[in-house]
Amino acid sequence: MSLPAIAVILNFSSGPSFGQAMIIGSGVLGVNILADSITVTADVSDTVQAVNISRGRNALSDVFQTGNCSVVIADQEGAFNPENTASPYYGLIQPLRKITITGTDPSTGDIYSMFAGYTTGFNYQQSRDVGIVSTTTITAVDGFRLANLATLTTVAGSAAGDLASTRITQILDAIAWPASMRDIDTAATTVQANPVTSATALAKLQQCTDSEYGALYIDPSGNMVFQNRAFTSSSIAASPTVFADDGTGIPYSQVKFLFNDDLVYNSGSVTRIGGTAQTSENAASIALYFKHSYNRTDLIMQTDAVALDYVRAYIASRQATSVRTDQLSLNLNTTSTAGVTAALELDYFDPITVKSTQPAATGTSTLDKTLQIFGVSHNVTPNNWVTTFTTLEPIIDAFIIGSSQYGILDTSVVSY
């Protein structure tokens, strides 16, 4: 099986945008960015020794985390040693310069973004031993790092009654996040006036996102994405990509199933800022799993009624547990052509079905789970490529909400 071609490009210009700079008379309008001089870039694809990318949602804290990557390149001449005055990049190598990583599907020629972020370190390792290559390890993080570096108190233009998505846009404006690098759904929840307390821009963005019961993350192209609650509660039944070990789906190299109570919550309290506590419990779940409590006091929805809907939806989605596919790994040397494409193409919220044949006392049994992707990692060397997906139930489980699994669900949660 042919491996994808990986491309790693460094962009030494300042600012968050990944567009290449151009001067009048050169470049492509609508793709490049007008500038006084052409941006200095370095294509290190031919010297890559290893690439490790990790992006995903923390299941316990219920937030997408800062994505990170490391790239090891052969660097015999010390071109990426910041102290090397003979380097063509001397004086340009700084923290928080831009890096993009793409993979080209060998069967189709399609190019997929895998990571876009900002360098945090250039770690040069020189070797004098014969046959040992000197290397530079470039470490990088995605745009969440920039949002976490900026501290805000006031947010220009904000007012009570703003939609959560409007407030998110105002916060991004406040930190000069490029409009071309935003994908913001229209929220359904209105929020209070901006809390006049000092906090990072990322914390304020996540506060708005959680008040909507949405999702906020950086996609593989470096865009800031906000998904509203209509999206996060969407069905996972439609057209999942199927992975199977019995020939009925894409072959995989390893699968890890979990069955535990880590994500069970059956007693919740949500208090919006300035509001009163809104609670929800599921007695049958408590009897089965003991009490697992959830508590939030920092959300900014405008009314207690919305806070009540929030806590009801949260407990309804997390009152039970079942076997879940914690990790699915694809070895791109041994999977199918469709598996290579899936490794490059699938990302957050994409549904997948995983089928695994299990040995049993008499014959075999089959585990068959359909979940959503909430984590993606790539581990790449010149001769190997392993992609691992982590999965979870939907953020709001549309199949549980409104059902009578435990017989006591409040149907008013369906409207949330």
Side-chain angles (χ1 to χ4, degrees):
M1 181 63 62
S2 297
L3 295 176
I6 195 165
V8 180
I9 309 294
L10 290 163
N11 180 329
F12 295 108
S13 65
S14 58
S17 178
F18 293 98
Q20 301 298 312
M22 72 172 186
I23 56 176
I24 297 299
S26 67
V28 181
L29 286 172
V31 175
N32 302 128
I33 299 169
L34 288 173
D36 294 329
S37 60
I38 295 295
T39 299
V40 177
T41 61
D43 185 341
V44 298
S45 308
D46 291 342
T47 64
V48 167
Q49 305 297 295
V51 173
N52 292 283
I53 297 170
S54 180
R55 304 168 48 247
R57 180 180 177 87
N58 185 308
L60 297 180
S61 63
D62 269 347
V63 294
F64 287 95
Q65 297 186 306
T66 303
N68 61 80
C69 82
S70 65
V71 178
V72 181
I73 59 173
D75 191 9
Q76 287 291 81
E77 305 299 323
F80 292 95
N81 177 358
E83 297 297 313
N84 182 3
T85 57
S87 166
Y89 310 114
Y90 180 71
L92 297 173
I93 299 173
Q94 299 286 343
L96 299 181
R97 301 304 89 171
K98 288 162 282 197
I99 183 170
T100 56
I101 303 174
T102 59
T104 300
D105 190 327
S107 64
T108 65
D110 292 334
I111 299 174
Y112 295 89
S113 295
M114 297 167 55
F115 184 85
Y118 307 89
T119 60
T120 54
F122 292 84
N123 306 312
Y124 179 62
Q125 180 173 302
Q126 185 180 31
S127 177
R128 293 297 187 183
D129 292 339
V130 175
I132 305 299
V133 176
S134 297
T135 61
T136 293
T137 299
I138 304 167
T139 56
V141 293
D142 68 21
F144 267 10
R145 171 69 183 275
L146 303 188
N148 201 44
L149 291 173
T151 299
L152 300 175
T153 301
T154 60
V155 176
S158 65
D162 287 337
L163 289 173
S165 51
T166 301
R167 182 68 51 78
I168 285 171
T169 296
Q170 293 161 344
I171 295 168
L172 293 176
D173 288 345
I175 62 173
W177 188 264
S180 61
M181 292 169 56
R182 307 179 191 181
D183 183 1
I184 310 299
D185 279 353
T186 300
T189 301
T190 58
V191 294
Q192 305 173 27
N194 169 61
V196 187
T197 54
S198 180
T200 68
L202 181 58
K204 287 182 177 289
L205 289 166
Q206 290 173 333
Q207 184 181 48
C208 291
T209 300
D210 290 351
S211 299
E212 163 71 5
Y213 214 146
L216 182 79
Y217 57 89
I218 302 293
D219 73 11
S221 297
N223 299 308
M224 184 79 70
V225 179
F226 167 73
Q227 306 283 14
N228 62 22
R229 67 178 182 235
F231 182 90
T232 60
S233 63
S234 60
S235 168
I236 62 172
S239 303
T241 301
V242 178
F243 298 89
D245 61 359
D246 61 0
T248 61
I250 296 170
Y252 54 82
S253 62
Q254 192 174 54
V255 65
K256 177 183 176 183
F257 291 96
L258 283 182
F259 183 59
N260 57 36
D261 68 338
D262 286 352
L263 304 183
V264 171
Y265 289 98
N266 47 35
S267 177
S269 175
V270 169
T271 309
R272 67 186 182 92
I273 295 175
T276 58
Q278 305 298 307
T279 62
S280 179
E281 281 195 346
N282 187 297
S285 176
I286 292 171
L288 187 60
Y289 303 116
F290 303 100
K291 182 173 284 192
H292 293 59
S293 298
Y294 172 79
N295 183 58
R296 291 293 297 267
T297 60
D298 59 337
L299 299 181
I300 57 172
M301 60 275 288
Q302 274 197 300
T303 69
D304 285 341
V306 174
L308 179 60
D309 276 346
Y310 183 107
V311 71
R312 284 173 171 169
Y314 195 94
I315 298 305
S317 295
R318 290 161 175 78
Q319 62 193 0
T321 189
S322 64
V323 175
R324 70 178 187 273
T325 309
D326 186 55
Q327 291 185 345
L328 172 82
S329 294
L330 300 175
N331 184 332
L332 272 56
N333 285 301
T334 59
T335 190
S336 63
T337 298
V340 173
T341 301
L344 297 173
E345 184 177 56
L346 296 179
D347 203 60
Y348 299 156
F349 293 100
D350 286 332
I352 65 171
T353 295
V354 181
K355 298 179 181 179
S356 175
T357 304
Q358 306 288 310
T362 56
T364 59
S365 62
T366 301
L367 282 174
D368 188 333
K369 299 294 295 185
T370 298
L371 298 165
Q372 288 178 328
I373 291 175
F374 279 101
V376 181
S377 69
H378 301 280
N379 296 285
V380 183
T381 63
N383 298 313
N384 292 284
W385 186 313
V386 175
T387 295
T388 300
F389 298 122
T390 57
T391 68
L392 290 169
E393 301 285 354
I395 292 175
I396 309 176
D397 193 335
F399 293 112
I400 291 179
I401 295 173
S403 75
S404 57
Q405 179 174 353
Y406 286 96
I408 58 172
L409 290 185
D410 189 329
T411 56
S412 65
V413 80
V414 179
S415 64
Y416 197 87

